[in-house]
Coordinates of all heavy atoms in Angstrom, one line a residue:
M1 N 110.3 92.5 113.6 CA 109.7 92.8 112.3 C 108.5 91.9 111.9 O 108.6 90.6 112.2 CB 110.7 92.9 111.2 CG 111.4 94.2 111.1 SD 112.5 94.3 109.7 CE 111.3 94.3 108.3
T2 N 107.6 92.4 111.4 CA 106.4 91.6 111.0 C 106.7 91.2 109.5 O 107.2 91.9 108.7 CB 105.1 92.2 111.2 OG1 105.1 93.5 110.5 CG2 104.7 92.5 112.7
K3 N 106.1 90.0 109.1 CA 106.2 89.6 107.8 C 105.0 90.1 107.0 O 104.2 89.3 106.7 CB 106.5 88.1 107.7 CG 107.7 87.7 108.2 CD 107.9 86.2 108.0 CE 109.3 85.7 108.5 NZ 109.5 84.2 108.4
E4 N 105.0 91.4 106.6 CA 104.0 91.8 105.9 C 104.1 91.7 104.4 O 105.1 91.9 103.9 CB 103.7 93.4 106.3 CG 103.2 93.4 107.7 CD 102.9 94.9 108.0 OE1 103.6 95.8 107.5 OE2 101.8 95.2 108.7
K5 N 103.0 91.3 103.8 CA 103.0 91.1 102.3 C 101.7 91.9 101.8 O 100.9 92.3 102.6 CB 102.9 89.7 101.9 CG 104.1 88.8 102.4 CD 103.7 87.4 102.0 CE 104.9 86.5 102.6 NZ 104.5 85.0 102.3
V6 N 101.7 92.1 100.5 CA 100.6 92.8 99.9 C 100.0 92.0 98.9 O 100.5 91.3 98.0 CB 101.2 94.1 99.3 CG1 100.1 94.8 98.5 CG2 101.6 95.1 100.4
C7 N 98.6 92.0 99.0 CA 97.9 91.3 98.0 C 97.9 92.0 96.7 O 97.6 93.1 96.6 CB 96.4 91.2 98.6 SG 95.2 90.6 97.4
R8 N 98.1 91.2 95.6 CA 98.2 91.9 94.3 C 96.8 92.1 93.8 O 96.8 93.0 92.9 CB 98.9 90.8 93.4 CG 100.3 90.7 93.4 CD 100.9 89.8 92.3 NE 102.2 89.4 92.5 CZ 103.3 90.1 92.2 NH1 103.1 91.2 91.6 NH2 104.6 89.6 92.4
D9 N 95.9 91.6 94.3 CA 94.5 91.8 93.8 C 93.9 93.1 94.3 O 93.2 93.9 93.6 CB 93.5 90.6 94.0 CG 93.9 89.5 93.2 OD1 94.7 89.7 92.1 OD2 93.5 88.3 93.5
C10 N 94.0 93.3 95.7 CA 93.3 94.4 96.3 C 94.3 95.4 97.0 O 93.9 96.4 97.5 CB 92.2 94.0 97.2 SG 92.8 93.1 98.7
R11 N 95.6 95.0 97.0 CA 96.7 95.8 97.6 C 96.6 95.9 99.1 O 97.2 96.8 99.7 CB 96.7 97.3 97.0 CG 97.2 97.3 95.5 CD 97.3 98.7 95.1 NE 96.0 99.2 94.9 CZ 95.8 100.5 94.7 NH1 96.7 101.4 94.7 NH2 94.6 101.0 94.5
R12 N 95.9 95.1 99.7 CA 95.8 95.1 101.1 C 97.1 94.6 101.7 O 97.6 93.6 101.2 CB 94.6 94.3 101.6 CG 94.3 94.4 103.1 CD 93.1 93.7 103.6 NE 93.0 93.8 105.1 CZ 92.3 94.7 105.7 NH1 91.6 95.6 105.0 NH2 92.2 94.7 107.0
V13 N 97.5 95.2 102.8 CA 98.7 94.7 103.5 C 98.2 93.6 104.4 O 97.4 93.8 105.3 CB 99.4 95.8 104.4 CG1 100.6 95.2 105.1 CG2 99.8 96.9 103.4
V14 N 98.8 92.4 104.3 CA 98.3 91.3 105.1 C 99.5 90.6 105.7 O 100.7 90.7 105.3 CB 97.5 90.2 104.3 CG1 96.3 90.9 103.7 CG2 98.4 89.6 103.2
E15 N 99.3 89.9 106.9 CA 100.3 89.0 107.5 C 99.7 87.6 107.2 O 98.6 87.3 107.5 CB 100.3 89.3 109.0 CG 101.0 90.6 109.2 CD 101.0 90.9 110.8 OE1 101.4 90.0 111.5 OE2 100.8 92.0 111.2
G16 N 100.6 86.8 106.6 CA 100.2 85.5 106.3 C 100.1 85.3 104.8 O 100.6 86.2 104.1
N17 N 99.5 84.2 104.3 CA 99.6 84.0 102.9 C 98.2 84.0 102.3 O 98.1 83.6 101.0 CB 100.2 82.5 102.8 CG 101.7 82.4 103.2 OD1 102.4 83.3 102.8 ND2 102.0 81.5 103.9
E18 N 97.3 84.5 102.9 CA 96.0 84.6 102.3 C 95.4 85.9 102.6 O 95.3 86.3 103.8 CB 95.0 83.4 102.7 CG 93.7 83.5 101.9 CD 92.7 82.5 102.5 OE1 92.7 81.2 102.0 OE2 91.8 82.8 103.4
C19 N 94.8 86.6 101.6 CA 94.2 88.0 101.8 C 92.8 87.6 102.5 O 92.0 86.9 102.0 CB 94.0 88.6 100.4 SG 93.1 90.1 100.6
P20 N 92.6 88.4 103.6 CA 91.4 88.2 104.3 C 90.1 88.8 103.6 O 89.0 88.5 103.8 CB 91.4 89.0 105.6 CG 92.6 89.9 105.4 CD 93.5 89.2 104.4
I21 N 90.4 89.7 102.6 CA 89.3 90.4 101.8 C 88.9 89.6 100.6 O 87.9 89.3 100.4 CB 89.8 91.8 101.4 CG1 90.3 92.6 102.7 CG2 88.7 92.5 100.8 CD1 89.3 92.7 103.7
C22 N 89.9 89.3 99.8 CA 89.5 88.6 98.5 C 89.9 87.3 98.4 O 89.7 86.5 97.4 CB 90.0 89.5 97.3 SG 91.9 89.5 97.2
K23 N 90.6 86.7 99.5 CA 91.0 85.3 99.6 C 92.0 84.9 98.6 O 92.3 83.7 98.3 CB 89.8 84.3 99.5 CG 88.6 84.7 100.4 CD 89.1 84.5 101.8 CE 87.9 84.7 102.9 NZ 88.3 84.9 104.2
S24 N 92.6 86.0 98.0 CA 93.7 85.6 97.0 C 95.0 85.2 97.8 O 95.2 85.6 99.0 CB 94.0 86.9 96.1 OG 95.2 86.7 95.5
T25 N 95.7 84.4 97.2 CA 97.0 84.0 97.7 C 98.1 84.5 96.9 O 99.3 84.1 97.0 CB 97.2 82.5 97.9 OG1 96.9 81.8 96.6 CG2 96.2 81.9 99.0
D26 N 97.9 85.4 96.0 CA 98.8 86.1 95.2 C 99.5 87.2 95.8 O 98.9 88.4 95.9 CB 98.2 86.4 93.9 CG 99.2 86.9 92.8 OD1 100.4 86.7 93.1 OD2 98.8 87.3 91.7
M27 N 100.6 87.1 96.5 CA 101.2 88.1 97.4 C 102.5 88.6 96.8 O 103.1 87.9 96.1 CB 101.4 87.5 98.7 CG 100.2 86.9 99.5 SD 99.1 88.3 100.0 CE 97.7 87.4 100.4
T28 N 102.8 89.8 97.1 CA 104.1 90.4 96.7 C 104.7 90.9 98.0 O 104.0 91.4 98.9 CB 104.1 91.3 95.7 OG1 105.4 91.8 95.4 CG2 103.2 92.5 96.0
N29 N 106.1 90.9 98.1 CA 106.7 91.7 99.2 C 107.5 92.8 98.7 O 108.2 93.4 99.4 CB 107.6 90.6 100.0 CG 108.5 89.9 99.2 OD1 108.8 90.3 98.1 ND2 109.2 88.8 99.8
K30 N 107.2 93.2 97.4 CA 107.8 94.3 96.8 C 106.7 95.4 96.7 O 105.9 95.4 95.7 CB 108.4 94.0 95.5 CG 109.7 93.1 95.6 CD 110.3 92.7 94.4 CE 111.5 91.8 94.6 NZ 112.0 91.3 93.4
W31 N 106.7 96.3 97.6 CA 105.7 97.4 97.5 C 106.2 98.6 98.1 O 107.3 98.5 98.9 CB 104.3 97.0 98.2 CG 104.6 96.2 99.5 CD1 104.9 95.0 99.7 CD2 104.4 96.8 100.8 NE1 104.9 94.7 101.0 CE2 104.6 95.8 101.7 CE3 104.0 98.1 101.2 CZ2 104.6 96.0 103.1 CZ3 103.9 98.3 102.7 CH2 104.2 97.2 103.5
R32 N 105.6 99.7 97.9 CA 106.1 101.0 98.4 C 104.9 101.9 98.9 O 104.0 102.0 98.2 CB 106.9 101.7 97.4 CG 107.5 103.0 97.8 CD 108.6 103.4 97.0 NE 108.3 103.5 95.6 CZ 109.0 103.7 94.6 NH1 110.3 103.8 94.8 NH2 108.6 103.8 93.3
G33 N 105.1 102.4 100.1 CA 104.1 103.4 100.6 C 102.9 102.6 101.2 O 102.5 101.6 100.6
V34 N 102.3 103.2 102.1 CA 101.2 102.6 102.8 C 100.1 103.7 103.1 O 100.4 104.9 103.4 CB 101.6 101.9 104.1 CG1 100.5 101.8 105.1 CG2 102.2 100.6 103.9
V35 N 98.8 103.3 102.8 CA 97.8 104.3 103.2 C 96.8 103.4 104.2 O 96.5 102.2 104.0 CB 97.0 104.7 102.0 CG1 96.4 103.6 101.1 CG2 96.0 105.7 102.4
V36 N 96.4 104.0 105.2 CA 95.6 103.4 106.3 C 94.2 104.0 106.0 O 94.0 105.2 106.1 CB 96.1 103.6 107.6 CG1 95.1 103.0 108.7 CG2 97.4 103.1 107.8
V37 N 93.2 103.1 105.7 CA 91.9 103.5 105.5 C 91.2 103.3 106.8 O 91.0 102.2 107.3 CB 91.2 102.7 104.4 CG1 89.7 103.0 104.3 CG2 91.8 103.0 103.1
I38 N 90.7 104.5 107.4 CA 89.9 104.4 108.6 C 88.4 104.5 108.3 O 87.6 103.8 108.8 CB 90.4 105.5 109.5 CG1 91.8 105.3 109.9 CG2 89.5 105.6 110.8 CD1 92.5 106.5 110.5
D39 N 88.2 105.5 107.3 CA 86.8 105.7 107.0 C 86.7 105.3 105.4 O 87.2 106.1 104.6 CB 86.4 107.0 107.1 CG 85.0 107.4 106.6 OD1 84.3 106.5 106.2 OD2 84.6 108.6 106.7
P40 N 86.1 104.1 105.1 CA 85.9 103.8 103.6 C 85.2 104.8 102.9 O 85.2 104.6 101.6 CB 85.2 102.4 103.7 CG 85.4 102.0 105.2 CD 85.5 103.2 106.0
N41 N 84.4 105.7 103.4 CA 83.6 106.7 102.7 C 84.4 107.9 102.4 O 84.0 108.8 101.8 CB 82.3 107.0 103.6 CG 81.4 105.8 103.7 OD1 81.2 105.1 102.6 ND2 80.9 105.5 104.7
S42 N 85.7 107.9 103.0 CA 86.4 109.1 102.7 C 86.9 109.2 101.2 O 86.8 108.2 100.5 CB 87.6 109.2 103.6 OG 88.6 108.1 103.2
E43 N 87.2 110.5 100.8 CA 87.5 110.7 99.5 C 88.7 109.8 99.0 O 88.7 109.2 98.0 CB 87.9 112.2 99.4 CG 87.5 112.8 98.0 CD 87.7 114.3 98.1 OE1 86.9 115.0 98.8 OE2 88.6 114.8 97.3
I44 N 89.7 109.7 99.8 CA 90.9 109.0 99.3 C 90.5 107.5 99.2 O 91.0 106.8 98.3 CB 92.1 109.1 100.3 CG1 93.3 108.3 99.9 CG2 91.7 108.9 101.8 CD1 94.4 109.2 99.1
A45 N 89.8 106.9 100.1 CA 89.4 105.5 100.0 C 88.6 105.2 98.8 O 88.8 104.4 98.1 CB 88.6 105.2 101.2
Q46 N 87.7 106.2 98.5 CA 86.9 106.1 97.3 C 87.6 106.2 96.1 O 87.5 105.4 95.1 CB 85.7 107.1 97.3 CG 84.7 106.7 98.5 CD 83.4 107.4 98.4 OE1 83.3 108.3 97.5 NE2 82.4 107.0 99.1
H47 N 88.6 107.1 96.1 CA 89.4 107.3 94.9 C 90.4 106.1 94.7 O 90.5 105.7 93.5 CB 90.4 108.5 95.2 CG 91.4 108.7 94.1 ND1 91.0 109.2 92.9 CD2 92.7 108.5 94.0 CE1 92.1 109.4 92.1 NE2 93.1 108.9 92.8
M48 N 90.8 105.4 95.7 CA 91.6 104.2 95.5 C 90.7 102.9 95.5 O 91.3 101.8 95.5 CB 92.7 104.1 96.7 CG 93.6 105.2 96.6 SD 94.9 105.1 97.9 CE 95.9 103.8 97.3
K49 N 89.4 103.1 95.5 CA 88.6 102.0 95.5 C 88.7 101.0 96.7 O 88.8 99.8 96.5 CB 88.6 101.3 94.1 CG 88.2 102.1 93.0 CD 88.2 101.3 91.7 CE 87.6 102.2 90.6 NZ 88.3 103.5 90.2
L50 N 89.0 101.5 97.8 CA 89.1 100.7 99.0 C 87.8 100.8 99.8 O 87.5 101.9 100.4 CB 90.3 101.2 99.8 CG 91.6 101.4 99.0 CD1 92.7 102.1 99.8 CD2 92.1 100.0 98.5
S51 N 87.1 99.7 99.9 CA 85.8 99.7 100.6 C 85.9 99.1 102.0 O 84.9 99.0 102.7 CB 84.9 99.0 99.7 OG 85.2 97.7 99.5
V52 N 87.1 98.6 102.5 CA 87.2 98.0 103.7 C 88.3 98.7 104.5 O 89.4 99.0 103.9 CB 87.6 96.4 103.5 CG1 87.6 95.8 104.9 CG2 86.5 95.7 102.7
Q53 N 88.1 98.9 105.8 CA 89.1 99.5 106.6 C 90.4 98.7 106.6 O 90.3 97.4 106.6 CB 88.5 99.6 108.1 CG 87.6 100.6 108.4 CD 87.2 100.8 109.8 OE1 87.6 99.9 110.6 NE2 86.5 101.8 110.2
G54 N 91.5 99.4 106.8 CA 92.7 98.6 106.8 C 93.9 99.3 106.2 O 93.8 100.5 105.9
K55 N 95.0 98.6 106.0 CA 96.2 99.1 105.5 C 96.4 98.6 104.2 O 96.4 97.5 103.9 CB 97.3 98.6 106.5 CG 98.5 99.5 106.8 CD 99.2 98.8 108.0 CE 100.6 98.9 107.7 NZ 101.4 98.2 108.8
Y56 N 96.8 99.6 103.3 CA 97.0 99.2 101.8 C 98.2 99.8 101.2 O 98.7 100.8 101.7 CB 95.8 99.7 100.9 CG 94.4 99.1 101.4 CD1 93.8 99.6 102.4 CD2 94.0 98.0 100.7 CE1 92.5 98.9 102.7 CE2 92.8 97.4 101.1 CZ 92.0 97.9 102.0 OH 90.9 97.3 102.4
A57 N 98.9 99.1 100.3 CA 100.1 99.6 99.6 C 99.6 100.6 98.6 O 98.6 100.4 98.0 CB 100.7 98.4 99.0
I58 N 100.5 101.7 98.5 CA 100.1 102.6 97.5 C 100.6 102.2 96.1 O 100.0 102.4 95.1 CB 100.8 104.0 97.9 CG1 100.2 104.6 99.2 CG2 100.7 104.9 96.7 CD1 100.9 105.8 99.8
E59 N 101.8 101.5 96.1 CA 102.4 101.2 94.8 C 103.0 99.7 94.9 O 103.7 99.4 95.9 CB 103.5 102.2 94.5 CG 104.1 102.0 93.1 CD 105.2 102.9 92.9 OE1 105.1 104.1 93.4 OE2 106.2 102.5 92.3
L60 N 102.6 98.9 93.9 CA 103.2 97.6 93.9 C 104.3 97.7 92.8 O 104.3 98.3 91.9 CB 102.2 96.6 93.4 CG 101.0 96.3 94.4 CD1 100.2 95.2 94.0 CD2 101.4 96.1 95.8
K61 N 105.4 96.9 93.1 CA 106.5 96.8 92.1 C 106.4 95.6 91.2 O 105.9 94.7 91.6 CB 107.8 96.9 92.9 CG 108.1 98.2 93.6 CD 109.4 98.1 94.2 CE 109.7 99.5 95.0 NZ 111.0 99.5 95.7
Ligands
ZN1 ZN1 93.2 90.8 98.5

């Protein structure tokens, strides 16, 4: 198992203790659901304000 956490600021799923996108170290391991952004121009990515490819949590607890 990987030790994935989620950045509270941008909801990106990251491994490690620093978010590669916003450099935040405010992480949570309580989250539910994942959306993978392949095309940042897609409707879902724009709706969720995700501008970088990658994996994001749908809901933080
Ligand atoms: Zn972040």
Side-chain angles (χ1 to χ4, degrees):
M1 275 186 68
T2 54
K3 288 185 179 175
E4 290 183 322
K5 298 177 187 174
V6 170
C7 172
R8 286 186 193 272
D9 289 342
C10 66
R11 286 185 291 163
R12 189 178 175 92
V13 178
V14 300
E15 289 179 44
N17 294 312
E18 187 186 271
C19 175
I21 306 302
C22 63
K23 305 297 181 192
S24 170
T25 54
D26 188 7
M27 301 289 165
T28 179
N29 51 19
K30 292 180 181 170
W31 46 282
R32 182 160 56 189
V34 155
V35 61
V36 177
V37 174
I38 296 162
D39 177 7
N41 294 315
S42 68
E43 212 169 295
I44 179 100
Q46 291 192 350
H47 177 70
M48 294 182 73
K49 297 183 171 61
L50 306 174
S51 56
V52 182
Q53 282 186 353
K55 211 166 138 185
Y56 296 85
I58 292 171
E59 184 186 322
L60 301 187
K61 291 184 183 178

